[in-house]
Amino acid sequence: MFIGRHVFVLAAVLLLAACGGGREQPSMKFRSYSGPTVTHVVVHKQARKMYLLHHDSIVKIYNVGLGFDPIGDKKIEGDGKTPEGLYMIDRRNPNSRFHLSLGIDYPNAADRAEARYLGKSPGGDIFIHGRPAPYQNGVWDWTWGCIAVTDREMEDIYAMIRTDKPTPILIMP
């Protein structure tokens, strides 16, 4: 009887574990996408919106977080601003410390010249990326200049934007 009770408890535990025990299952990090090609991206900083477009049609809209000092154009490393202007999304980082990320080719020649004039570094490593747990509680503008979305949204964006041919991104004030 003692052994029978343990077998019953073990079977119940295994059944609950197989069903997920009521917990949400982890998301799939790498998703597939078969919709229209994202031909360009537009970020409107003041509205905190990112638009993924197929030519003139909006494919998807996301709420975004920006640099911790979001008003104005990025000038130098560490200023907490998200750059403004036309750039390219040109690389993927599947091992980002912010879940997944897509690289933006900041700084361009004009950004480097402006920072050099100021006697500073323009910085770099600007990405669209996920949002770690400490920043999922309504703190929107926390990055060092990147564009942040939820991890689940980043999985979709990562699948939708191709980098075999760079994708233009216009970041507006």
Side-chain angles (χ1 to χ4, degrees), residues 4-6 8 33 47 54-55 78 104 106 109 114 117 148 152:
R5 188 177 314 151
H6 277 51
F8 175 77
Y33 173 71
H54 174 75
H55 301 295
I104 298 172
Y106 173 89
E114 184 173 28
Y117 175 77
R152 175 64 175 87

Side-chain angles (χ1 to χ4, degrees), residues 24 27-29 31 48 50 60-66 98-101 128-133 135-140 142-143 147-158:
E24 185 177 323
S27 63
M28 293 174 25
K29 190 171 183 177
R31 300 183 177 278
R48 303 297 192 280
M50 179 169 62
K60 193 78 176 171
I61 302 172
Y62 295 96
N63 294 319
V64 297
L66 303 169
F98 300 112
H99 192 55
L100 294 168
S101 61
I128 301 168
H129 60 64
R131 182 184 304 267
Y135 299 103
Q136 292 181 9
N137 61 358
V139 176
W140 284 96
W142 57 273
T143 75
I147 299 164
V149 295
T150 69
D151 286 356
R152 175 64 175 87
E153 291 169 337
M154 191 61 223
E155 292 167 6
D156 291 339
I157 295 164
Y158 197 85

Side-chain angles (χ1 to χ4, degrees), residues 8 16 21 31 37 42 70 165:
F8 175 77
L16 282 174
R31 300 183 177 278
T37 303
V42 174
K165 180 180 132 191

Side-chain angles (χ1 to χ4, degrees), residues 30-75:
F30 300 104
R31 300 183 177 278
S32 60
Y33 173 71
S34 59
T37 303
V38 174
T39 57
H40 60 288
V41 176
V42 174
V43 174
H44 189 269
K45 288 172 51 175
Q46 184 175 7
R48 303 297 192 280
K49 299 283 184 193
M50 179 169 62
Y51 303 87
L52 276 56
L53 295 111
H54 174 75
H55 301 295
D56 293 335
S57 300
I58 296 172
V59 176
K60 193 78 176 171
I61 302 172
Y62 295 96
N63 294 319
V64 297
L66 303 169
F68 61 83
D69 187 12
I71 297 172
D73 188 16
K74 183 164 199 60
K75 304 267 187 233

Side-chain angles (χ1 to χ4, degrees), residues 54-126:
H54 174 75
H55 301 295
D56 293 335
S57 300
I58 296 172
V59 176
K60 193 78 176 171
I61 302 172
Y62 295 96
N63 294 319
V64 297
L66 303 169
F68 61 83
D69 187 12
I71 297 172
D73 188 16
K74 183 164 199 60
K75 304 267 187 233
I76 60 171
E77 183 174 25
D79 64 7
K81 297 188 181 304
T82 301
E84 296 172 0
L86 182 61
Y87 298 94
M88 294 294 206
I89 299 170
D90 63 353
R91 62 197 182 282
R92 304 168 86 72
N93 183 358
N95 300 311
S96 170
R97 65 183 239 211
F98 300 112
H99 192 55
L100 294 168
S101 61
L102 293 168
I104 298 172
D105 70 346
Y106 173 89
N108 60 29
D111 298 318
R112 287 189 296 276
E114 184 173 28
R116 188 172 38 255
Y117 175 77
L118 297 171
K120 305 281 185 176
S121 166
D125 288 335
I126 301 296

